[in-house]
């Protein structure tokens, strides 16, 4: 079962909504918890044991940290200032050790399950020079483990920082970790974002139900009509890139970027829409990323919850570490007030992007993907003062008009190149495809016949362009802070439901399914 299959939106979700609605307020949170575990069992079966372990583990570690914090409060009562410092320092050390153990357990489990084959494969590459090999062990990996592991780590870290209190209610913590609209692909919510609302047992309201339903339809609209329709073409180009000119490869990379966005943002629409029905507001994961004017800005708009997780739990801790403070102080003396702090920031940025690459998958192409974006953002930071001075001297406002449009096109092109490596079947293949774009590029090679042979016919192209245009218009409106659902709500009820029904009919008529199409699983579920 996936968010895009009829089993979910025509059977599972309506059943959960119906049972939730008729139950008393106190029982409703447990309906959601039972539904979440049922959903996880359906998609992962016995691998649910890992989810149970993570839930019980973070509950235990949270209570352990809470106990140490309470002991600290009692221990410092009535002590002199210097004594308080000593007690606090000793207690901080204990808490840090507990947190380190908690993080090692959870990140270690994720690393063993996901990255053992990659590590052993590379070990074998080295050992091959000595005519030696080790057995490559592969583990069954539960869907969504990368997402709920980061949620678990954020919970324990926030308890340690004192930004939230450890939750003694195991059921509430279990629901926070396993909530079915987000368990497969996120968004990566913080405990403070959702735990209370998840367990409030709110009655289903008409407004939330309609807004949630509209967003689910919009997600299906993007995924089934566009993302799945582009799949055959993308597969053909990336599986047999050696047959194609650089121009077709570039079109394939653009098509993949569109496919990934429509698939992933569509999943977010369904997840956020499903949660909205129950009165739960999950954090947004996309904010019109293709309106970005720099690669750095792009990553504040794309997969927002992953970016903010890396910012809060990797970038900031590295930036404010003793090493970074010393590096910044030394840098200011030698490089000035801009480039001095940039040195420490670059170290933190590197840590973020190496982790980002590794998080996405156990292959060199993912690490390269992370380093590619690190270089793009670092280069932008490095030359920003010079570029700003040039624009200022020319009296050009680079945030508006043609200059802004060119910056958006440039950023989109750089993102597409990055996604090429992300989708390629290996780093070598990605580099070969990249090379072809710049050394074997001919517009003449682009023909309807070639594209049709690759799996995208004339009707497909028209449908894709039409839906992308609609999504683009919606994006423009959202950039102007126009809420589509709110605007629809202001219309006559007949007009409102006519729009929703038209979208549903479009999904039925133009949806990419049937004998010619292979069902495409949610793309980010693998990460």
């Amino acid at each position: 079962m996936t968010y895009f299959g009829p089993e979910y939106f025509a059977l599972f979700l309506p059943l959960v909504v119906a049972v939730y609605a008729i139950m008393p307020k106190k029982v409703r949170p447990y309906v959601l918890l039972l539904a979440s575990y049922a959903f996880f069992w359906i998609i992962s079966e016995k691998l649910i044991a890992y989810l149970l372990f993570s839930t019980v583990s973070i509950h235990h570690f949270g209570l352990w940290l809470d106990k140490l914090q309470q002991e600290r409060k009692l221990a410092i009562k009535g002590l002199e200032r210097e004594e308080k410092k000593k007690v606090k320092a000793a207690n901080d050390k204990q808490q840090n050790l507990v947190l380190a153990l908690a993080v090692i357990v959870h990140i270690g489990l994720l690393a063993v399950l996901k990255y053992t084959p990659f590590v052993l494969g590379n070990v074998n590459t080295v050992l091959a020079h000595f005519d030696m090999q080790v057995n490559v062990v592969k583990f069954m990996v539960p869907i969504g483990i990368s997402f709920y592991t980061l949620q678990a780590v954020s919970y324990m870290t926030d308890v340690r920082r004192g930004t939230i209190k450890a939750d003694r209610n195991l059921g509430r913590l279990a629901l926070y970790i396993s909530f079915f609209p987000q368990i497969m692909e996120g968004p990566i919510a913080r405990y403070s974002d959702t735990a209370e609302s998840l367990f409030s047992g709110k009655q289903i309201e008409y407004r939330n139900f309609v807004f949630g339903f509209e967003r689910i339809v919009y997600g299906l609209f993007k995924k089934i009509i566009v993302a799945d329709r582009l799949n055959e073409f993308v597969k053909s180009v990336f599986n047999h890139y050696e047959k194609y000119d650089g121009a077709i490869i570039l079109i394939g990379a653009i098509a993949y970027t569109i496919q990934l966005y429509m698939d992933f943002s569509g999943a977010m629409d369904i997840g956020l829409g499903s949660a909205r029905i129950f009165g739960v507001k999950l954090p947004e994961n996309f904010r019109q990323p293709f309106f970005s004017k720099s690669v750095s800005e792009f990553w504040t708009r794309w997969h927002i919850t992953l970016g903010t997780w890396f910012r809060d739990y990797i970038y900031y801790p590295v930036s404010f570490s003793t090493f970074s403070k010393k590096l910044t102080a030394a840098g200011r003396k030698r490089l000035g007030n801009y480039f001095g702090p940039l040195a420490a920031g670059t170290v933190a940025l590197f840590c973020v992007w190496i982790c980002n690459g590794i998080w996405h998958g156990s292959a060199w192409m993912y690490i390269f993907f992370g380093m590619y974006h690190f270089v793009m953002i670092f280069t932008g930071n490095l030359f920003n003062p010079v570029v700003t001075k040039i624009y200022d001297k020319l009296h050009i406002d680079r945030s508006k008009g043609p200059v802004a449009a060119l910056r958006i096109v440039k950023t989109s092109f750089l993102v597409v190149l990055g996604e090429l490596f992300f989708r390629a079947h290996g780093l070598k293949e990605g580099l070969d495809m990249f090379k072809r774009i710049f050394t074997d590029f001919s517009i003449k090679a682009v023909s309807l016949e070639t594209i049709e042979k690759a799996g995208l016919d004339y009707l497909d192209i028209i449908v894709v362009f039409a839906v992308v245009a609609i999504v683009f218009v919606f994006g423009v409106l959202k950039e102007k802070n126009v809420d589509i659902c709110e605007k629809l709500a202001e219309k006559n009820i007949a007009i409102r439901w006519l729009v929703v029904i038209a979208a549903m009919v479009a999904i039925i008529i133009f949806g990419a399914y049937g004998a010619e199409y292979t069902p495409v699983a949610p793309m980010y579920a693998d990460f």
Side-chain angles (χ1 to χ4, degrees), residues 209-237:
F209 180 85
V210 175
F211 278 29
F213 180 73
E214 288 172 350
R215 188 138 191 195
I216 289 170
V217 171
Y218 187 48
L220 292 170
F221 184 74
K222 291 193 285 187
K223 159 70 174 178
I224 296 177
I225 298 180
V226 177
D228 288 358
R229 187 177 296 276
L230 289 172
N231 189 57
E232 290 304 315
F233 175 72
V234 170
K235 278 202 309 183
S236 178
V237 172

Side-chain angles (χ1 to χ4, degrees), residues 114-314:
K114 282 187 70 173
Y115 305 107
T116 296
F118 173 66
V119 172
L120 293 181
N122 282 283
V123 167
N124 278 339
T125 301
V126 175
L127 292 178
H129 297 288
F130 306 97
D131 293 326
M132 297 171 63
Q133 293 285 279
V134 295
N135 291 328
V136 177
V137 182
K138 292 185 179 181
F139 297 98
M140 296 283 285
V141 182
I143 290 173
I145 187 173
S146 296
F147 292 96
Y148 73 70
T149 297
L150 295 193
Q151 288 201 174
V153 171
S154 75
Y155 168 78
M156 294 180 294
T157 305
D158 288 350
V159 170
R160 167 63 188 95
R161 290 174 176 176
T163 54
I164 60 171
K165 292 288 292 179
D167 199 330
R168 297 187 174 278
N169 188 323
L170 180 59
R172 179 160 45 219
L173 208 52
L175 183 53
Y176 158 68
I177 289 291
S178 67
F179 189 39
F180 69 87
Q182 66 179 117
I183 189 69
M184 189 180 286
E185 295 188 81
I188 303 164
R190 309 292 172 87
Y191 174 88
S192 55
D193 290 334
T194 61
E196 290 299 326
S197 60
L198 279 170
F199 230 67
S200 65
K202 273 186 182 179
Q203 186 177 4
I204 293 177
E205 300 173 359
Y206 175 77
R207 179 183 174 85
N208 284 335
F209 180 85
V210 175
F211 278 29
F213 180 73
E214 288 172 350
R215 188 138 191 195
I216 289 170
V217 171
Y218 187 48
L220 292 170
F221 184 74
K222 291 193 285 187
K223 159 70 174 178
I224 296 177
I225 298 180
V226 177
D228 288 358
R229 187 177 296 276
L230 289 172
N231 189 57
E232 290 304 315
F233 175 72
V234 170
K235 278 202 309 183
S236 178
V237 172
F238 279 85
N239 289 352
H240 309 288
Y241 71 90
E242 65 282 352
K243 294 175 10 183
Y244 296 108
D245 179 88
I248 298 294
I249 291 173
L250 179 59
I251 292 172
I254 294 170
Y256 172 68
T257 305
I258 294 170
Q259 180 193 21
L260 184 62
Y261 174 70
M262 293 294 188
D263 186 289
F264 194 17
S265 68
M268 291 303 100
D269 290 327
I270 294 173
L272 270 70
S274 299
R276 179 72 183 266
I277 290 173
F278 302 104
V280 178
K281 189 176 182 181
L282 294 176
E284 293 287 346
N285 222 14
F286 289 91
R287 186 170 55 84
Q288 298 78 256
F290 294 100
F291 289 94
S292 304
K293 301 178 185 69
S294 68
V295 175
S296 179
E297 182 188 351
F298 178 87
W299 284 99
T300 65
R301 291 169 171 260
W302 174 287
H303 208 341
I304 296 168
T305 56
L306 179 65
T308 54
W309 194 97
F310 281 127
R311 179 197 67 195
D312 294 345
Y313 301 107
I314 294 180

